[in-house]
Amino acid sequence: MDLIKTIQAQIESIYGIKLGTSANDYLIEHKELMEFLPQHRNTSLPKELFLVNPNPQDDTLEVALFFDPELKKNLTINNPLELLNADNIAY
């Protein structure tokens, strides 16, 4: 998703930082998201989700980003970097 790459570059520029990795590397699809969620819960999925899974045994974190496919489609059609309006901020 090019929009994510552009937003990341803008955030890096604003804060004067350079991350060694791309946010795109952490994107997961619906099937992968369902593996993170408890199977016994009926969970209403948000349009976007940042997942963090700490592993205290080896002092690491797993992170993932999920964006609903309809949200991604809408933001491709109504790119908020080109024009900010109700179609892309109230979706």
Side-chain angles (χ1 to χ4, degrees):
M1 192 171 175
D2 290 336
L3 182 60
I4 291 173
K5 183 184 272 188
T6 302
I7 292 171
Q8 179 176 345
Q10 289 181 349
I11 292 170
E12 289 176 351
S13 176
I14 289 167
Y15 290 102
I17 59 172
K18 181 66 179 158
L19 300 176
T21 186
S22 170
N24 283 316
D25 295 339
Y26 298 95
L27 288 178
I28 59 172
E29 299 296 328
H30 186 267
K31 180 180 175 185
E32 296 167 292
L33 173 63
M34 298 315 294
E35 294 172 10
F36 280 98
L37 300 176
Q39 297 297 321
H40 64 283
R41 269 176 63 182
N42 288 332
T43 304
S44 176
L45 295 178
K47 294 177 188 135
E48 67 280 333
L49 192 59
F50 177 64
L51 300 152
V52 179
N53 184 22
N55 186 345
Q57 294 173 348
D58 61 4
D59 201 30
T60 61
L61 288 174
E62 292 179 310
V63 296
L65 294 169
F66 170 76
F67 293 103
D68 181 271
E70 288 299 314
L71 175 67
K72 291 191 289 188
K73 179 180 174 185
N74 180 58
L75 291 176
T76 299
I77 296 168
N78 300 291
N79 187 334
L81 299 175
E82 294 173 4
L83 178 64
L84 197 57
N85 60 39
D87 291 328
N88 50 35
I89 61 173
Y91 181 75

